[in-house]
Amino acid sequence: MHVPGPADVELAADRLADGIVTTPCLRSATLSQLTGAEVWLKFENQQFTGSFKDRGSLRRLLELDDDERRRGVIALSAGNHAQGVAHHAGRLNIPATIVMPRTTPYAKVRRTRLLGAEVVQEGRDLAECVAVTEQLIESRSLTLVHPYDDPFVIAGQGTCGLEIFDQAGPLDDVIVPVGGGGLLAGVALAAQARRPDVEIVGVQSRHYDPVARRLGTATDEPPVPGPTLADGIAVKSPGAHNLAIIDEHVREVLTVAEATIERSVALFLDIEKTVAEGAGAVGLAALLEHPERFGGRRVCVIVSGGNIDARVLASVLLRDLVREGRITRLRVEADDLPGSLADVTGIISATGADVVEVSHQRLLTDLPARRVDIDVVIETRGSEHTADLLAALRAAGHGVSLRD
C-alpha cells in the first residue's frame, strides 16, 4: 500500500493549479466574538461543484493513462464526490459513470447528469451499490475513482491545507470534517510540508465517530444509530490509506451533537451569508461545543461543502428560530363568537408580533361548548418579546399557554 507523503501534496498543488478554485480564507470577526477563538474560515463551498471533492477527483483523473481515459471512469457516490468526478471528467473528455442508490434525491441525480455523467441507479443504499459498481468495472473495464481511499485523492484534498497556510498566516489549529478521512489525512500532510507545529483536529458527528473512537477521543457513550444532518461524513469504515496518516499525524478527533450541527448551519447563513451543508458545518459546531479547547487560539475551520437540500435547509432555519424563541406556538382561550379571532390577532399585531399560522380547536378540548382554543404560531423578536405578548393577551382576559 502506497501511503502518500507531504511531497505528494506539493505536487498535487502544481497539477491542480489550473483546474480548481483557490477558495477564500477569511477571518470572521463575529464568530470570533461568539466562540472566544480567532476564527478563520476556508470556504470550500465555493468550489465549482460546491465541495472540496473537486480537488481529489481531479488529481486522480489527471493520473489516468490514455487507455484508461478512453475506457472511462466510475464512481460510487450519492453526493459531492459524484459531482466532482462528473465535472472534471466532462472537462477532460473522459466518459464517467456514477452509481447512485435508488433513494438518492432527484436533485442530486439531475445535477450529476447535467455535468455529463451517466448515472446508474441501483440498490437501496451505497452498500447495495458496491456489487453493481464492481460488475460495471469488470464488464466495461472502467477505472474506479474512490471518494477517499486513494493516494492521489488524499494528496488532492491536501491542497486545501496548503492554501490555508498561505492565506491565514500562523495558526494554532485547523479543524477538519472527517468521514472517510481523505481531507483530514491530506491536510495533515500539508501541515507536515508547511506548518508541522499546527495541530490538525478532526470533527465527526456523534452518530458516526469511528476515527474519534480509534484515537480514543470520542465521548464515553456509544454512537447513536440513525440519520445525521452531516450525511456527507456519515462513513462507518474510513480508508486504510487515510488511517495510516491519521494515526501518525493527528492526535485528536472531536465529536459534536446534531443540535449543534443544525445551529452551525443556521449561524453560517445568518452571520457569514454562506450556505454550509451539515458536514461543512461540523467545524463550527466543534468551536461551539468545545470552547475550553479552542478559546484564545487562532483557528481555521474548513467549510467543506455547501450542497444541502433546499427543504432540509428551510427546516433547519425554522427549527433554529424555534430554539431561539423567535417562533412560538400559543394556545389562546376565547369565546366562540364572531370577532374573537380578530381580537386575538389584533393584540398580537399591536405588540409587533407576526402570525405565522392559526387554527381553531373545538373538538379536542376540555373547554365549555361556547369557548374555543385558538392555536397560533407566532414570530417574535425573542423570548422577552413573547413574554410581553403573553402578558397583553392575559390582560385582555384570555387564558393563554405556550405549546410544545
Side-chain angles (χ1 to χ4, degrees), residues 213-271:
R213 293 195 171 276
R214 182 185 180 92
L215 298 184
T217 55
T219 59
D220 293 336
E221 300 84 6
V224 181
T228 172
L229 182 62
D231 55 347
I233 54 172
V235 177
K236 294 180 180 179
S237 301
H241 294 88
N242 304 312
L243 290 175
I245 297 167
I246 291 167
D247 286 344
E248 182 176 357
H249 297 298
V250 178
R251 295 189 303 171
E252 189 176 21
V253 173
L254 303 173
T255 61
V256 291
E258 286 298 303
T260 319
I261 299 173
E262 285 192 34
R263 185 185 175 207
S264 299
V265 169
L267 284 173
F268 271 128
L269 192 59
D270 186 39
I271 293 173

Side-chain angles (χ1 to χ4, degrees), residues 21-352:
V21 177
T22 300
T23 56
C25 186
L26 304 172
R27 183 180 182 275
S28 173
T30 305
L31 291 180
S32 297
Q33 184 179 27
L34 179 66
T35 63
E38 182 180 341
V39 180
W40 288 71
L41 301 173
K42 179 62 170 170
F43 291 99
E44 282 296 283
N45 57 344
Q46 294 188 25
Q47 289 292 345
F48 180 82
T49 65
S51 162
F52 76 98
K53 292 287 189 177
D54 275 15
R55 298 175 182 271
S57 300
L58 177 56
R59 181 67 188 100
R60 181 65 185 90
L61 291 172
L62 290 175
E63 285 302 308
L64 299 174
D65 61 32
D66 290 341
D67 190 46
E68 290 170 328
R69 284 173 175 246
R70 178 185 57 78
R71 293 197 306 267
V73 297
I74 189 169
L76 168 58
S77 171
N80 293 333
H81 180 61
Q83 294 177 66
V85 172
H87 168 54
H88 289 296
R91 286 199 315 109
L92 299 172
N93 295 315
I94 299 170
T97 302
I98 309 296
V99 181
M100 292 179 157
R102 289 190 298 268
T103 54
T104 303
Y106 174 72
K108 293 183 178 181
V109 176
R110 180 176 178 273
R111 282 198 298 266
T112 305
R113 284 183 173 141
L114 286 174
L115 290 168
E118 174 191 353
V119 175
V120 176
Q121 285 190 271
E122 296 287 348
R124 291 172 297 181
D125 53 29
L126 290 174
E128 289 191 2
C129 289
V130 172
V132 176
T133 304
E134 292 173 346
Q135 291 169 6
L136 289 170
I137 291 173
E138 179 69 22
S139 63
R140 301 185 186 180
S141 298
L142 302 176
T143 299
L144 176 67
V145 181
H146 198 280
Y148 50 83
D149 197 16
D150 179 287
F152 293 110
V153 170
I154 296 166
Q157 317 302 29
T159 61
C160 174
L162 295 181
E163 290 179 14
I164 288 171
F165 299 131
D166 288 342
Q167 295 168 318
L171 292 166
D172 296 308
D173 306 284
V174 178
I175 305 178
V176 187
V178 187
L183 183 60
L184 180 63
V187 172
L189 292 177
Q192 291 304 303
R194 298 284 181 88
R195 301 282 176 82
D197 56 321
V198 174
E199 293 191 34
I200 309 301
V201 182
V203 189
Q204 295 189 297
S205 162
R206 292 204 179 109
H207 288 286
Y208 290 86
D209 62 354
V211 183
R213 293 195 171 276
R214 182 185 180 92
L215 298 184
T217 55
T219 59
D220 293 336
E221 300 84 6
V224 181
T228 172
L229 182 62
D231 55 347
I233 54 172
V235 177
K236 294 180 180 179
S237 301
H241 294 88
N242 304 312
L243 290 175
I245 297 167
I246 291 167
D247 286 344
E248 182 176 357
H249 297 298
V250 178
R251 295 189 303 171
E252 189 176 21
V253 173
L254 303 173
T255 61
V256 291
E258 286 298 303
T260 319
I261 299 173
E262 285 192 34
R263 185 185 175 207
S264 299
V265 169
L267 284 173
F268 271 128
L269 192 59
D270 186 39
I271 293 173
E272 297 300 325
K273 313 309 178 193
T274 194
V275 176
E277 61 189 85
V282 296
L284 176 55
L287 289 179
L288 296 174
E289 283 200 18
H290 303 275
E292 73 292 341
R293 168 65 178 81
F294 299 106
R297 295 172 69 86
R298 205 165 188 266
V299 177
C300 182
V301 172
I302 299 178
V303 187
S304 58
N307 295 318
I308 185 171
D309 182 83
R311 288 177 298 176
V312 174
L313 179 59
S315 176
V316 167
L317 297 177
L318 289 172
R319 285 161 59 93
D320 189 63
L321 291 176
V322 172
R323 275 191 293 270
E324 291 184 357
R326 292 170 59 188
I327 289 185
T328 307
R329 186 159 64 106
L330 309 178
R331 173 158 287 183
V332 183
E333 296 180 17
D335 292 331
D336 193 6
L337 296 171
S340 292
L341 177 58
D343 180 48
V344 170
T345 56
I347 295 170
I348 294 172
S349 175
T351 62

Side-chain angles (χ1 to χ4, degrees), residues 328-380:
T328 307
R329 186 159 64 106
L330 309 178
R331 173 158 287 183
V332 183
E333 296 180 17
D335 292 331
D336 193 6
L337 296 171
S340 292
L341 177 58
D343 180 48
V344 170
T345 56
I347 295 170
I348 294 172
S349 175
T351 62
D354 186 35
V355 174
V356 176
E357 195 174 276
V358 62
S359 64
H360 284 77
Q361 182 57 262
R362 291 183 173 86
L363 301 179
L364 302 177
T365 178
D366 295 328
L367 292 178
R370 298 303 299 274
R371 297 276 286 175
V372 64
D373 281 329
I374 302 174
D375 289 339
V376 189
V377 178
I378 59 167
E379 182 176 357
T380 68

